[in-house]
Amino acid sequence: MELGLDGDTVVVTASSAGLGRASAEALADEGANVVVCGRDSERLAATESELGDLDGDVLGVETDITSKHDVEALVEAAVEEFGGVDHVVTSAGGVPPGGFADLTEQEWYGAFDMLVMSAVWTVRAARPHLEASDAGTITCITSTSVREVIDDLILSNAVRRGVIGLVKSLSRELAPGVRVNAVLPGAHETSRIEELVEAAVERGDHDTYEEGLNSWSDGIPLGRVGDPRELGDVVAFLASDRASFVSGACVPVDGGRLRSA
C-alpha cells in the first residue's frame, strides 16, 4: 500500500530504541523525513546512521523528553532542518514497576512528566506547524494498560490513561486540520523484553532465550509476541492519508490479548 508520506516530516520522541525506533523506521521506509531523539548519544547516533539507509532523511537530536526546553529544541531542530513538521509520534520510556505501597511521591511526579507532560510539550511546540500542514497528525504510543491494568505496574496503569484523555480531547479540539490517535501496544520483542528474557535465562527460569520469549506469549491468541516493526507499520498507516477518516481512535496492537472491546 502506498501511504503517500514521501517528503513529509515526522518528529518521533524516545525513538533511539524500542517502539519509537520501530515507528521511525517504518516512517523513514515510506520516504518521510524523520527526526529521532534520545538521551543516549551513542545509541542515538547508531539509530540515525542505521535509519539513514532508508528512503527518508533522518536527523538525530539528543533530547531528554522530561525537559520542556529539550522538547521545544527538538521541534525547533526539525523545523530548521526540514522547514516544518507534518506529523508527531509521541513515545516514552518505561516507568518504574511496583504496587501502590512500593513507589515514592517523586516517582509519581516523574512518571507524569515522562508519560504525559512529554506529550503535552511536544504537541504544544509542534501545533502551529501541524496546523500549517496539509495533513497534520499526532499519534501517541501508550500501552494496553490504559484498557486493562497490569499487575505491579500501577504507574503505567494510572498515568498513561491521562494520555488517552489528551488524545480524545485533542482529536476534537484540533479537528478538522489535525488528526489525533493512539496505539496501545502489547508485548513486542523490544530491547527491554530481550533484557528481561536474558535475565530470566541466567536465573535458570528458562533453558533458552526462545523458551523465555515464548513465555511472554501466554494469553496472546496469536501465540507470539509482536515484532516492533508491526507496531511501527500501524503508526505509519495512522499518519497517512490512507487513514484520513480515523481520528480519536485507540488502536490495540497486541495480538488479541485484550479482552475488553
Side-chain angles (χ1 to χ4, degrees):
M1 182 182 291
E2 174 57 52
L3 295 184
L5 292 169
D6 189 57
D8 284 6
T9 297
V10 192
V11 172
V12 187
T13 61
S15 45
S16 63
L19 298 178
R21 185 193 188 284
S23 299
E25 178 183 343
L27 290 157
D29 216 9
E30 291 293 329
N33 301 318
V34 181
V35 182
V36 296
C37 75
R39 289 180 293 186
D40 185 320
S41 59
E42 290 186 5
R43 187 164 62 184
L44 178 63
T47 297
E48 183 179 14
S49 175
E50 291 161 7
L51 299 190
D53 293 333
L54 301 176
D55 290 341
D57 291 334
V58 178
L59 172 68
V61 180
E62 192 170 340
T63 307
D64 177 357
I65 64 169
T66 64
S67 162
K68 178 183 178 181
H69 175 270
D70 276 17
V71 171
E72 290 173 344
L74 169 68
V75 174
E76 288 173 7
V79 173
E80 183 176 341
E81 182 74 13
F82 297 116
V85 175
D86 301 292
H87 313 283
V88 161
V89 178
T90 68
S91 181
V95 293
F100 185 75
D102 303 321
L103 299 161
T104 67
E105 186 173 303
Q106 193 58 43
E107 285 173 317
W108 280 92
Y109 283 118
F112 191 77
D113 280 350
M114 173 73 78
L115 301 177
V116 179
M117 291 311 300
S118 64
V120 170
W121 293 325
T122 306
V123 171
R124 277 186 172 173
R127 178 179 178 177
H129 308 289
L130 296 173
E131 291 179 331
S133 172
D134 292 334
T137 70
I138 299 165
T139 305
C140 296
I141 301 173
T142 59
S143 168
T144 55
S145 67
V146 304
R147 289 267 184 90
E148 295 176 7
V149 299
I150 301 172
D151 290 345
D152 297 317
L153 287 179
I154 192 170
L155 287 180
S156 180
N157 296 338
V159 178
R160 287 187 190 274
R161 294 186 182 212
V163 178
I164 299 304
L166 179 68
V167 165
K168 295 297 288 186
S169 298
L170 289 176
S171 71
R172 302 180 68 84
E173 289 188 24
L174 302 185
V178 179
R179 294 187 296 105
V180 189
N181 294 290
V183 291
L184 319 182
H188 289 73
E189 194 177 359
T190 60
S191 57
R192 175 59 175 163
I193 283 186
E194 289 173 357
E195 291 169 1
L196 293 172
V197 171
E198 288 167 358
V201 171
E202 289 180 7
R203 289 195 306 269
D205 296 345
H206 305 287
D207 292 331
T208 65
Y209 176 86
E210 289 71 23
E211 180 184 303
L213 184 63
N214 286 337
S215 72
W216 283 80
S217 65
D218 293 345
I220 300 177
L222 292 188
R224 62 178 178 86
V225 300
D227 184 312
R229 179 58 187 265
E230 292 176 299
L231 184 284
D233 287 341
V234 175
V235 170
F237 169 73
L238 289 173
S240 77
D241 286 342
R242 294 288 185 171
S244 59
F245 201 54
V246 181
S247 194
C250 299
V251 183
V253 186
D254 68 342
R257 187 189 65 80
L258 282 177
R259 293 179 178 273
S260 58

